[in-house]
């Protein structure tokens, strides 16, 4: 047990046997260790080496040497687009799934002919519009019911397409065309969205983003090409928005970013991983144009 004798009382004892020593220079070294098992802490030596005029003297008592080491922390992984918000992360992943003829960031090999060489038919285009309406009906019903509170953020964004598609189908009907029933691609996608929305909000939001935002970009381009070939350049209501589209999109981006702020990194990654399924289902509906 260490002595509890006050320093003032122990001083005479020290003065009785004075030891002349040479001053020892102490150097404190800050060590940065990377990928090392060494940890900051206390290192105990069995003896203290002191140099004097008589030589080296080993003092028979333990001396505590505190070694300070700064362990280099592993830098946090940054995801592409993360600094700009989660929507930018979703956009980055989506772009990678485009073909090179669709986007300069695309990495997928093209399947079939590029859009410029499509030979669409009125019947195939009507199938596409009918199935698209079913998908938008489903999305907008889910948002309105809001099984999760976050869904309510996306009511009345101005991007809604269901009513616009209803007007277009009515126009085709007035031209004497028979309006078909929804087909397998649209029915399957609508069913999947309903199931997803009840149990997996992050995955559902991925589909919400990709369906609406893709239509404002590549969707408009496809609509223009099809109209040139089979509709005498008529612009359907499907490709019109009330108000400034860029501002509508910006408003929804901000809402998506706010919703994603409450997600963990794992939930965000799960949302991003759903992008490929979103492209799969949407692609099956889009290919109806060529039937």
């Amino acid at each position: 047990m260490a002595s509890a004798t006050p320093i003032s009382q122990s001083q005479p004892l020290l003065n009785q046997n004075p030891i002349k020593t040479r001053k020892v220079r102490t150097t404190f070294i800050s060590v940065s260790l990377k990928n090392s098992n060494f940890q900051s802490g206390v290192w105990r030596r069995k003896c203290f080496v002191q140099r004097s005029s008589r030589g080296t003297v080993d003092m028979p008592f333990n001396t505590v040497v505190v070694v300070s080491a700064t362990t280099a922390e592993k830098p946090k992984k940054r995801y592409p687009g993360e600094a700009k918000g989660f929507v930018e992360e979703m956009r980055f992943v989506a772009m990678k799934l485009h073909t090179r003829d669709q986007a300069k960031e695309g990495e997928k090999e093209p399947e079939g002919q590029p859009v410029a060489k499509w030979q669409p038919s009125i019947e195939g285009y009507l199938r596409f519009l009918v199935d698209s309406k079913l998908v938008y009906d489903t999305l907008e019903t889910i948002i309105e019911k809001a099984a999760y509170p976050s869904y309510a953020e996306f009511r009345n964004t101005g991007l809604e397409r269901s009513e616009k598609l209803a007007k277009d189908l009515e126009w085709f009907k007035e031209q004497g065309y028979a309006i078909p029933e929804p087909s397998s691609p649209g029915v399957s996608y609508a069913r999947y969205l309903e199931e997803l929305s009840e149990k997996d909000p992050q995955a559902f939001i991925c589909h919400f983003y990709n369906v609406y935002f893709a239509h404002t970009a590549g969707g408009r381009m496809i609509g223009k090409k099809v109209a040139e070939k089979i509709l005498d350049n008529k612009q359907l209501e499907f490709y019109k928005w009330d108000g400034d589209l860029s501002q509508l999109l910006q408003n929804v981006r901000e809402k998506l970013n706010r919703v994603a702020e409450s997600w963990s990194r794992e939930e965000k990654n799960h949302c991003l991983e759903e992008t490929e399924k979103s492209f799969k289902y949407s692609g099956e509906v889009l290919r109806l144009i060529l039937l």
Side-chain angles (χ1 to χ4, degrees):
M1 180 180 296
S3 172
T5 304
I7 293 178
S8 59
Q9 296 180 20
S10 61
Q11 191 66 36
L13 295 175
L14 295 176
N15 293 335
Q16 291 176 6
N17 297 294
I19 300 175
K20 295 182 179 180
T21 62
R22 180 183 300 171
K23 291 184 179 179
V24 179
R25 178 178 296 176
T26 304
T27 303
F28 293 92
I29 303 175
S30 177
V31 184
S32 178
L33 300 176
K34 187 176 182 181
N35 299 324
S36 172
N37 292 326
F38 184 85
Q39 297 179 350
S40 298
V42 177
W43 174 37
R44 294 186 177 273
R45 296 188 59 184
K46 292 185 177 180
C47 64
F48 175 77
V49 179
Q50 185 175 14
R51 297 184 181 278
S52 70
S53 58
R54 298 177 182 177
T56 300
V57 179
D58 289 347
M59 304 301 291
F61 54 84
N62 290 343
T63 300
V64 177
V65 180
V66 179
V67 180
S68 175
T70 303
T71 304
E73 294 183 1
K74 185 178 180 181
K76 179 184 176 183
K77 180 180 179 180
R78 300 291 290 181
Y79 291 80
E82 185 178 3
K84 295 183 179 180
F86 188 63
V87 170
E88 186 64 15
E89 292 188 52
M90 289 196 286
R91 190 198 70 80
F92 181 86
V93 174
M95 286 296 103
K96 294 298 182 183
L97 293 176
H98 281 71
T99 59
R100 295 183 184 89
D101 65 322
Q102 292 173 326
K104 62 181 180 180
E105 299 169 76
E107 294 183 354
K108 299 282 285 187
E109 293 296 328
E111 296 180 7
Q113 292 182 330
V115 176
K117 295 183 178 181
W118 282 10
Q119 296 299 324
S121 65
I122 292 288
E123 292 74 18
Y125 196 45
L126 279 171
R127 292 190 188 97
F128 163 71
L129 293 175
V130 167
D131 279 33
S132 293
K133 184 176 184 302
L134 177 59
V135 171
Y136 282 103
D137 284 345
T138 303
L139 284 167
E140 287 157 29
T141 299
I142 290 169
I143 293 300
E144 187 61 33
K145 290 182 177 178
Y148 288 87
S150 59
Y151 296 170
E153 292 283 337
F154 306 104
R155 292 173 181 161
N156 304 316
T157 62
L159 299 184
E160 292 79 15
R161 298 290 86 195
S162 185
E163 290 185 8
K164 300 286 189 179
L165 280 163
K167 291 179 179 180
D168 288 332
L169 292 172
E170 183 61 29
W171 179 83
F172 276 102
K173 189 176 181 180
E174 291 171 356
Q175 307 309 306
Y177 294 101
I179 307 302
E181 292 297 315
S183 58
S184 178
V187 172
S188 296
Y189 197 10
R191 184 181 300 119
Y192 181 70
L193 288 170
E194 288 174 347
E195 295 173 355
L196 206 61
S197 68
E198 295 290 336
K199 63 182 181 180
D200 196 338
Q202 284 77 32
F204 172 75
I205 290 296
C206 174
H207 288 265
F208 173 89
Y209 164 78
N210 281 292
V211 169
Y212 283 101
F213 277 66
H215 180 61
T216 66
R220 283 197 296 170
M221 181 268 291
I222 291 170
K224 185 174 184 296
K225 294 294 184 183
V226 172
E228 289 173 356
K229 294 191 174 184
I230 63 175
L231 296 178
D232 195 25
N233 287 315
K234 174 180 173 57
Q235 185 182 21
L236 298 181
E237 295 297 314
F238 190 26
Y239 305 99
K240 298 176 183 178
W241 286 264
D242 298 326
D244 179 47
L245 179 57
S246 62
Q247 186 58 55
L248 295 175
L249 290 170
Q250 182 58 29
N251 293 341
V252 177
R253 286 190 193 96
E254 292 173 0
K255 290 175 183 290
L256 286 165
N257 282 332
R258 283 200 303 269
V259 167
E261 283 177 0
S262 64
W263 294 353
S264 66
R265 185 66 251 178
E266 290 73 19
E267 289 171 329
K268 289 179 179 179
N269 290 345
H270 178 62
C271 176
L272 298 176
E273 289 163 1
E274 189 70 15
T275 306
E276 195 160 354
K277 283 188 179 180
S278 174
F279 270 59
K280 171 183 174 293
Y281 280 107
S282 294
E284 289 172 354
V285 173
L286 181 62
R287 281 190 286 273
L288 289 171
I289 295 176
L290 300 178
L291 296 181

